[in-house]
Amino acid sequence: MSNKKDIIFKIKNLSKLYGANKIPAFEMMKNGSEKSDVARKYGVTVAVNDVSFEVERGKIFVLIGLSGSGKSTVVRCLNLLQKPTSGDILFEGKSILKLNKKELMEFRRYKISMVFQSFGLMSHRDVLGNVAYGLEVRGEKKEICQTKAMDMIEMVGLKGWEHKRISELSGGMRQRVGIARALANNPDVLLMDEPFSALDPLVRRDMQFELLSIQKKLNKTVIFITHDINEAFKLGDLVGIMKDGKIIQIDTPEGMASNPADEYVENFINSADKGQIYSVKHIMQTPSCLIHSRDGVNYALKQMRDQGVSSAYVVDDNLRLVGILPLDNAVKVKAGELSFQDAITKDVLTTEEDVYISDLLSVAATAKYPIAVIDKENHLKGIVSKASVLSSLV
Amino acid sequence: MPDWFIEFPSEINLNIKDAIDKFIRYLLTNGETFFEGIKEVLKGFLNGIQGVISRIPWWLLILIVFILSWRTSRKLGKAILYSALLFFIGAMGLWPLMNTTLTIVIASVIISIMIGFPMGIWVSYSDRLDRMIRPVLDTMQTMPSFVYLIPVAMLLGLGNVPAVIATTTYALPPLIRLTSHGIRQVDNEVVEAAKAFGSTKWQTLVKVQIPQAMPTIMTGLNQTIMMAIAMVVTCSMIGTTGLGQEVLISINRLETGRGFSAGISIVIIAIIIDRLTQGIVKKGEAKIEQ
Ligand SMILES: Nc1ncnc2c1ncn2[C@@H]1O[C@H](COP(=O)(O)OP(=O)(O)OP(=O)(O)O)[C@@H](O)[C@H]1O
Ligand SMILES: [Mg+2]
């Protein structure tokens, strides 16, 4: 029996920088400067810094690390959703960086597919339409699309749901659709970027089990990202741990647990500070009560009543946050004691998606309403309740 | 205190009026065949639409409005109200004038879609183009609408054909803006998913971005239609026929009743079209929402 490993992906000295001044920043980084210094001097983010690893066919390779450590950037380079700044990526021995446009398209259509953290499903299509998407774009006949998609839907346990809209599904079901869609193309490699992070713990355990059994059955190569060490150890044949864009240690779960490379890894294994592992985007929810500024008070009251909440988030036509309409104010508007505009509280506590939970703790403690998550243009992305901040830490 | 301190000095006299006039005159003398061509094409287009609209029996149009408002709102009261309002226009004897106004609105909106929709898509692809076109659209939207009438009337004369051009120009911006905005705001992960499965740019656009952006695009279309209706009325100043002309005539003759009947008809048309298209937007949003 030959001992030679069948390496499907080989990543060599991969680096990825975001920003305009890449060339001098790259030099500085190569000379061993800290990530934060490079960012300060050139305004360039070093997302991935000289990363090398190999993935064996039919195995699950897990990348783990704190928020912002560059995990997503690494997997996005593997199907070239992001273009590496330097380094090389070999798939079955051939560099994917040398593929021309058409070859890249073929590569994505037949060899590799992806599962996303917030599912990335197309809400204008039903379950079947989503699962068949990859087959459809590569030009398969309609009947083939349908039968293959149906097989996959059955495999992930969604039989009978194929004509449901995505909005009718629970989070766990949506990610099953995401997985079915990724498998329908029968790819060699499955990229999974925190696929289960948005799911609650029980569903998550089901899904982990499901993934393992699917992997046993189909023998796919999986590259899996998580920030949960338990998930990493449960799923991974090999686990790579990342910090500030670098891989610090690659080992089997047992190897890593018994022989952590440094204190950082050890802390990680003990999951010392969960507040640093999760950022706001991992715990934020869609606001249950959202109204447009032109909707008027009657609609707002009805919404609040239907949802059983005591405040509504008010946005303008472009989904930019205007403020919060508390229930007591809304009642006053209805009674004619207050104008609709004056009733909207403008001083809402806000935060952004990439803020660490630990940085949010002090704010959350004093918050009267859930904290609004906005982006740079003030678009409302979601809300974070006090309870979810606290419960993410235990 | 010298005079120029308070009064704007008359020595400073930048005469851009003449320059603009000259430019228009230049266009007029050198582009005659071009403008004649446009005129002919538009005339044919207008006649075609007019032909279709004037052949629709009045009761059928009312029935269509009834069914559409029932299907978008699911409220019988609304469906009956809108049909009754439309009937009211006919009862006031304004049905033929309404048809003329609708013809120009429809022609302008069709041209707006043909220009605005592809343009919006194009703008959504490039931040630079977006920055460049934004002030142009802002200017187009804030410019008093009848300013458009002057060059159009000079180049194309009076009547319904120049009205289509003026109306299209005035009503175009929201469609471009909201098409672009709609496509930009499609969830990035969904677009990435489309790419990750090997979609071509065209496939991503047609199978993912446009369907996801549809409610926003429809909002833009709704605004475009509303602006077109307003503009067609203004266009009566350059001899456009229809309900607007009726209003203009009654202003000149101080016939209040006549003016109001036409005015109310315009409002009714605007309300019905607005509610119908908004109903469609709401339905689309419900579909897209996760
Ligand atoms: N498109 C982008 N433009 C600029 N900077 C980016 C971009 N994408 C990621 N970054 C930055 O690169 C760094 C690595 O990000 P990445 O998303 O890879 O981290 P991650 O490990 O996946 O984190 P998380 O657990 O939060 O998903 C971060 O500092 C991030 O702000
Ligand atoms: Mg990530």
Side-chain angles (χ1 to χ4, degrees):
Chain A
M1 217 174 87
S2 139
N3 264 341
K4 198 155 164 23
K5 287 184 192 163
D6 182 4
I7 300 298
I8 188 162
F9 252 125
K10 193 176 171 78
I11 286 84
K12 290 203 288 199
N13 308 99
L14 180 73
S15 293
K16 170 74 189 178
L17 283 63
Y18 289 110
N21 254 328
K22 283 201 195 84
I23 296 164
F26 191 56
E27 281 305 314
M28 187 171 166
M29 185 195 87
K30 268 209 286 207
N31 295 331
S33 293
E34 285 290 317
K35 180 179 162 166
S36 53
D37 293 336
V38 181
R40 207 168 314 126
K41 180 132 187 233
Y42 293 108
V44 168
T45 311
V46 181
V48 177
N49 185 356
D50 196 21
V51 159
S52 302
F53 62 96
E54 290 177 350
V55 182
E56 205 180 328
R57 190 186 295 277
K59 301 279 171 157
I60 301 185
F61 184 95
V62 178
L63 269 179
I64 183 167
L66 300 181
S67 197
S69 58
K71 311 177 295 289
S72 293
T73 308
V74 170
V75 286
R76 276 173 164 66
C77 284
L78 298 186
N79 61 358
L80 292 182
L81 283 179
Q82 294 288 355
K83 213 171 156 6
T85 310
S86 79
D88 205 355
I89 300 167
L90 305 181
F91 177 80
E92 294 178 336
K94 282 198 283 288
S95 168
I96 61 167
L97 300 179
K98 297 203 180 76
L99 299 179
N100 64 30
K101 224 170 159 182
K102 186 154 171 273
E103 287 164 337
L104 174 62
M105 206 109 67
E106 298 287 293
F107 175 61
R108 288 172 173 172
R109 285 176 179 181
Y110 292 92
K111 302 288 184 190
I112 194 163
S113 58
M114 191 157 183
V115 179
F116 294 82
Q117 178 176 354
S118 346
F119 322 128
L121 298 176
M122 295 145 191
S123 48
H124 61 283
R125 291 168 164 243
D126 61 6
V127 170
L128 185 65
N130 269 281
V131 177
Y133 184 84
L135 297 162
E136 191 182 313
V137 291
R138 75 185 193 197
E140 307 267 357
K141 281 211 197 68
K142 198 155 182 208
E143 308 84 72
I144 295 181
C145 288
Q146 303 259 329
T147 45
K148 281 193 182 169
M150 281 308 295
D151 286 349
M152 287 306 139
I153 290 173
E154 200 172 337
M155 170 130 127
V156 298
L158 283 181
K159 195 164 183 218
W161 291 81
E162 56 271 10
H163 294 300
K164 296 276 189 231
R165 316 215 119 268
I166 299 302
S167 53
E168 294 173 74
L169 308 184
S170 68
M173 288 168 138
R174 287 182 198 192
Q175 198 54 298
R176 283 169 200 267
V177 176
I179 293 173
R181 175 174 69 175
L183 289 171
N185 281 24
N186 194 19
D188 294 337
V189 180
L190 216 54
L191 304 176
M192 306 183 90
D193 188 353
E194 303 201 32
F196 305 149
S197 297
L199 309 176
D200 65 60
L202 277 176
V203 179
R204 201 160 161 177
R205 235 176 298 155
D206 280 352
M207 296 294 288
Q208 290 165 352
F209 177 75
E210 188 100 22
L211 178 65
L212 284 174
S213 60
I214 287 174
Q215 206 263 347
K216 282 240 163 59
K217 213 182 303 174
L218 303 179
N219 210 22
K220 301 286 179 204
T221 309
V222 179
I223 299 174
F224 190 101
I225 293 185
T226 179
H227 51 245
D228 175 354
I229 192 80
N230 297 322
E231 190 169 67
F233 281 4
K234 189 169 180 181
L235 297 176
D237 293 304
L238 270 185
V239 177
I241 184 162
M242 285 190 78
K243 181 194 178 189
D244 290 345
K246 285 196 169 184
I247 293 194
I248 305 185
Q249 184 177 8
I250 300 178
D251 211 333
T252 58
E254 303 75 34
M256 194 175 277
S258 57
N259 222 339
D262 61 11
E263 210 174 318
Y264 176 81
V265 179
E266 204 176 323
N267 280 339
F268 214 105
I269 292 171
N270 299 328
S271 280
D273 188 1
K274 286 198 177 154
Q276 289 281 327
I277 301 179
Y278 294 96
S279 58
V280 166
K281 66 167 174 258
H282 297 120
I283 59 162
M284 73 181 186
Q285 300 151 335
T286 12
S288 57
C289 191
L290 191 67
I291 58 171
H292 287 278
S293 34
R294 60 176 147 74
D295 281 340
V297 69
N298 286 328
Y299 180 73
L301 279 168
K302 179 178 172 336
Q303 282 289 314
M304 284 188 239
R305 195 167 54 237
D306 291 352
Q307 307 289 342
V309 292
S310 61
S311 60
Y313 286 79
V314 187
V315 293
D316 68 9
D317 285 342
N318 295 329
L319 279 182
R320 272 193 285 264
L321 181 66
V322 177
I324 288 184
L325 178 66
L327 180 61
D328 43 347
N329 279 4
V331 173
K332 278 186 200 152
V333 176
K334 176 111 193 193
E337 293 164 24
L338 208 59
S339 82
F340 187 64
Q341 282 311 320
D342 292 337
I344 299 172
T345 313
K346 298 274 165 29
D347 57 345
V348 183
L349 288 173
T350 59
T351 182
E352 290 186 12
E353 284 181 317
D354 288 330
V355 173
Y356 289 125
I357 308 290
S358 54
D359 298 335
L360 203 65
L361 265 180
S362 56
V363 188
T366 61
K368 201 167 151 205
Y369 309 107
I371 300 165
V373 185
I374 55 174
D375 66 6
K376 296 251 165 353
E377 276 92 47
N378 206 23
H379 294 115
L380 184 63
K381 294 297 208 185
I383 58 171
V384 176
S385 67
K386 203 190 289 194
S388 62
V389 170
L390 298 176
S391 67
S392 71
L393 297 177
V394 293
Chain B
M1 231 191 293
D3 272 354
W4 58 261
F5 195 77
I6 301 285
E7 313 251 332
F8 195 88
S10 57
E11 289 78 18
I12 303 177
N13 184 4
L14 192 64
N15 202 339
I16 74 161
K17 285 179 278 180
D18 285 350
I20 295 175
D21 290 347
K22 246 187 218 147
F23 176 65
I24 295 286
R25 231 169 283 140
Y26 171 84
L27 282 183
L28 209 53
T29 43
N30 290 285
E32 210 187 325
T33 41
F34 175 69
F35 292 116
E36 283 306 312
I38 289 190
K39 233 164 138 174
E40 283 311 307
V41 173
L42 282 180
K43 204 181 271 169
F45 186 52
L46 266 176
N47 285 340
I49 295 174
Q50 172 93 51
V52 175
I53 288 193
S54 59
R55 272 187 193 81
I56 299 177
W58 62 272
W59 51 267
L60 184 61
L61 193 64
I62 293 180
L63 193 66
I64 292 173
V65 166
F66 183 86
I67 293 171
L68 281 182
S69 39
W70 162 250
R71 289 192 52 171
T72 48
S73 73
R74 292 278 156 208
K75 292 207 180 81
L76 196 60
K78 275 191 183 173
I80 293 175
L81 177 68
Y82 295 153
S83 332
L85 285 173
L86 195 56
F87 183 83
F88 182 54
I89 297 181
M92 288 189 294
L94 295 173
W95 196 274
L97 291 180
M98 176 188 79
N99 274 348
T100 313
T101 297
L102 277 182
T103 303
I104 302 168
V105 169
I106 290 171
S108 311
V109 170
I110 291 176
I111 300 174
S112 294
I113 294 173
M114 291 194 308
I115 300 172
F117 184 56
M119 193 114 152
I121 293 170
W122 192 32
V123 172
S124 76
Y125 276 129
S126 148
D127 287 334
R128 238 180 75 205
L129 195 62
D130 185 52
R131 274 198 303 277
M132 269 160 38
I133 209 158
R134 205 168 274 243
V136 179
L137 294 183
D138 284 340
T139 316
M140 280 169 78
Q141 243 172 333
T142 38
M143 182 88 83
S145 54
F146 41 83
V147 175
Y148 290 115
L149 298 179
I150 309 161
V152 169
M154 287 215 45
L155 296 174
L156 296 169
L158 304 176
N160 293 352
V161 171
V164 172
I165 304 239
T167 306
T168 305
T169 320
Y170 181 66
L172 194 54
L175 187 58
I176 299 180
R177 207 190 283 269
L178 283 161
T179 302
S180 161
H181 176 70
I183 290 180
R184 276 166 190 272
Q185 58 147 39
V186 175
D187 185 353
N188 189 36
E189 221 179 54
V190 178
V191 178
E192 267 194 340
K195 278 190 207 152
F197 282 98
S199 313
T200 60
K201 262 199 166 153
W202 176 253
Q203 284 172 327
T204 310
L205 182 68
V206 175
K207 287 177 189 283
V208 178
Q209 289 170 302
I210 292 178
Q212 289 276 317
M214 216 39 172
T216 313
I217 297 175
M218 286 302 294
T219 306
L221 183 62
N222 168 278
Q223 289 181 15
T224 289
I225 298 174
M226 289 302 110
M227 289 176 72
I229 294 175
M231 186 65 187
V232 167
V233 176
T234 312
C235 280
S236 60
M237 289 201 227
I238 53 168
T240 306
T241 51
L243 292 169
Q245 192 185 37
E246 190 75 359
V247 176
L248 194 69
I249 294 172
S250 36
I251 291 175
N252 289 337
R253 299 194 194 154
L254 294 177
E255 291 179 89
T256 319
R258 190 173 172 188
F260 262 96
S261 330
I264 289 169
S265 305
I266 294 165
V267 173
I268 291 176
I269 295 174
I271 289 179
I272 293 178
I273 298 183
D274 181 53
R275 293 302 132 88
L276 288 186
T277 45
Q278 283 211 15
I280 297 172
V281 174
K282 283 247 161 68
K283 271 190 125 178
E285 263 169 5
K287 224 170 101 177
I288 297 289
E289 215 142 78
Q290 294 233 351

